[in-house]
Amino acid sequence: MAETKVSGRDYLLFADIDDDGTFKPVACLTSNAITSSLNVIDATSKCGDQFQPGPAYNQTIKADGFAIDQTGTASKDSYNQLYNAFIAGTVFDIKMGEATPVAGNVIYTGAVFISAFDVTAADKEDVKFSATFTVAVPPLTQTVTA
């Protein structure tokens, strides 16, 4: 079995904020990460320690990037589009994976809403944003491309 490492530069977050079936990259990201957790039921008693997986998943996607402004037809989801979706409480579809998937690549998909949004404008730096996408109905679907 051959193995191929996946470049973080090519592992992007795409969003369909407009619900038109078109996924645009969330840009210009410097990092994106999925965090998943499952609650734990503590069934410890005098008979011994015991823990069981609980029924509640929690998943978020954290994305950090440079704020971009666009004119004309948008090719990426800019920070102002993300902010508008955040303020409106919009639930929209995302996918995260390689920009151009090949056989064996993993892609995550699901519906999210933005639960946190920050803009940072430090002296002598470009403006950056940070957004937390909370999965509306976890867990995300994981698909391996054929």
Side-chain angles (χ1 to χ4, degrees):
M1 173 185 271
E3 68 178 46
T4 304
K5 292 188 174 42
V6 178
S7 169
R9 177 161 283 210
D10 297 329
Y11 207 77
L12 304 179
L13 178 62
F14 299 87
D16 182 12
I17 294 174
D18 300 328
D19 195 25
D20 62 2
T22 303
F23 285 87
K24 291 184 282 192
V26 176
C28 288
L29 294 183
T30 56
S31 68
N32 47 296
I34 296 174
T35 301
S36 303
S37 63
L38 175 64
N39 75 312
V40 177
I41 297 171
D42 184 349
T44 300
S45 69
K46 293 182 181 184
C47 293
D49 295 335
Q50 183 180 6
F51 297 92
Q52 301 169 350
Y57 286 94
N58 182 18
Q59 285 186 309
T60 58
I61 297 172
K62 178 79 170 169
D64 300 306
F66 288 103
I68 59 168
D69 293 323
Q70 298 183 88
T71 57
T73 303
S75 62
K76 300 175 178 85
D77 287 322
S78 62
Y79 77 115
N80 58 323
Q81 290 167 305
L82 295 171
Y83 181 76
N84 290 338
F86 168 64
I87 292 301
T90 304
V91 177
F92 55 92
D93 291 330
I94 58 94
K95 64 181 179 178
M96 188 165 134
E98 284 208 75
T100 308
V102 296
N105 287 153
V106 173
I107 298 174
Y108 296 93
T109 57
V112 300
F113 59 91
I114 299 172
S115 57
F117 186 86
D118 301 302
V119 174
T120 305
D123 187 31
K124 300 180 185 175
E125 291 185 19
D126 287 335
V127 175
K128 295 178 183 173
F129 75 92
S130 179
T132 301
F133 301 80
T134 297
V135 178
V137 183
L140 292 166
T141 301
Q142 177 181 275
T143 306
V144 178
T145 56

